Amino acid sequence: MATIWRHRSGEGLASDLDTLAEESPLEIRYGDADNERVVTMRTPGADTLLAVGLLLDMGLVDGPDDLLAVRQEGANSIRVRLRMHRAPPPVRKTAVTSACGVCGDSRLELDRLLASPPLGEGPEVPITRILDLPERLRAAQAMFLRSGGLHAAALFTLDGRLLRLEEDVGRHNAVDKVIGWACLERRLPLQRQLLMVSGRTSYEIVKKCIRARLPLLAAVSAPSSLAVELADASGMTLIGFLRPPRFNVYAGEARLRG
């Protein structure tokens, strides 16, 4: 809680209390060398899920069998023991912000992703199901309702049932937490699920979804040009500006029916 001054029409300034979204660093160590770690800014909570999801995105983990242990060491540190040592990606930054995820990934990584196997055809999803997603996401955002300062990522079944929702100051972190949960629950690949995110869709979020083999990604706001390029090349359905009764389809429109 923080003491603030609120202004209301005709009343001037008045002292009040407000709930703020918490942001603090998390160090994830997956080896003994100095470069075998990543530091990200995040909202505390579900830290082990965030660590697993981020290591999946980095290509250091393919599934739960690659993990020997994931342990919280203090409030802001996670230690991960991997079954097999893998060299850290040469283009990966060791510091990640909650705003941009992995800003600065090279065009070389994008070209590699564009050459990876496409997601394949299907499944088909009714348009009415897509239009239901924003309300289902908002209804489950308990932390956002208190602070107004958090993003969310929500994983749904094809019939619209909510499987998992995570909130964080960073959209990328929320996605990593959801995918990390799916990994530990042995639900990967997510070939028959949908992901809804608050805010805009960047290339990094599309990339995370492709690694999890998610066929459909919807967002409240716009995608970036690289997000559309990667989604289209990978066969993903990418939806933006999902604000019922309207939305835009930027790639993969064949999956939508009705």
Side-chain angles (χ1 to χ4, degrees):
M1 299 293 289
T3 300
I4 64 169
W5 293 88
R6 295 191 189 276
H7 177 269
R8 294 181 174 89
S9 178
E11 298 180 10
L13 293 173
S15 178
D16 199 355
L17 293 177
D18 194 21
T19 300
L20 303 181
E22 185 176 352
E23 183 177 27
S24 59
L26 177 69
E27 180 188 52
I28 303 165
R29 301 197 68 92
Y30 53 89
D32 296 324
D34 287 341
N35 66 333
E36 293 177 324
R37 69 178 189 127
V38 62
V39 178
T40 184
M41 300 300 295
R42 96 302 188 196
T43 298
D47 288 343
T48 57
L49 303 184
L50 173 58
V52 172
L54 189 53
L55 294 181
L56 276 162
D57 180 50
M58 293 173 66
L60 295 172
V61 173
D62 293 324
D65 293 334
D66 293 331
L67 300 165
L68 292 177
V70 183
R71 184 175 66 253
Q72 188 104 26
E73 295 184 338
N76 295 305
S77 181
I78 294 283
R79 167 69 70 171
V80 181
R81 291 182 58 220
L82 302 178
R83 185 172 298 279
M84 183 179 299
H85 179 272
R86 300 182 188 180
V91 299
R92 177 72 57 181
K93 287 185 174 183
T94 57
V96 179
T97 73
S98 58
C100 71
V102 286
C103 299
D105 275 7
S106 71
R107 178 73 200 199
L108 291 175
E109 183 177 16
L110 177 60
D111 289 342
R112 177 178 59 80
L113 287 164
L114 292 173
S116 63
L119 293 171
E121 296 182 0
E124 291 188 349
V125 182
I127 287 176
T128 54
R129 189 77 27 80
I130 301 300
L131 292 172
D132 285 342
L133 297 180
E135 181 57 34
R136 291 175 183 268
L137 181 143
R138 282 193 296 269
Q141 281 188 264
M143 293 172 65
F144 176 81
L145 293 175
R146 294 197 300 270
S147 70
L150 293 173
H151 285 287
L155 185 67
F156 295 91
T157 62
L158 293 179
D159 61 4
R161 180 168 58 90
L162 178 63
L163 291 174
R164 187 78 180 188
L165 180 139
E166 293 291 344
E167 296 179 275
D168 199 281
V169 287
R171 291 166 295 113
H172 306 83
N173 291 344
V175 173
D176 280 332
K177 288 177 179 180
V178 168
I179 293 176
W181 170 82
C183 175
L184 294 178
E185 292 292 313
R186 297 186 175 272
R187 291 177 177 264
L188 296 180
L190 297 171
Q191 294 170 309
R192 300 192 62 80
Q193 282 81 35
L194 321 173
L195 191 73
M196 171 83 191
V197 297
S198 61
R200 61 184 177 84
T201 307
S202 63
Y203 144 71
E204 292 93 352
I205 288 181
V206 172
K207 176 170 65 74
K208 293 172 189 295
C209 292
I210 289 172
R211 279 198 57 83
R213 309 305 287 172
L214 270 159
L216 191 149
L217 171 62
V220 171
S221 296
S224 69
S225 60
L226 285 183
V228 174
E229 180 182 354
L230 182 55
D232 185 56
S234 303
M236 173 187 287
T237 299
L238 180 60
I239 293 172
F241 289 110
L242 177 49
R243 301 169 186 180
R246 300 179 178 87
F247 61 82
N248 296 340
V249 185
Y250 293 88
E253 69 282 355
R255 285 197 180 89
L256 302 179
R257 69 171 189 266

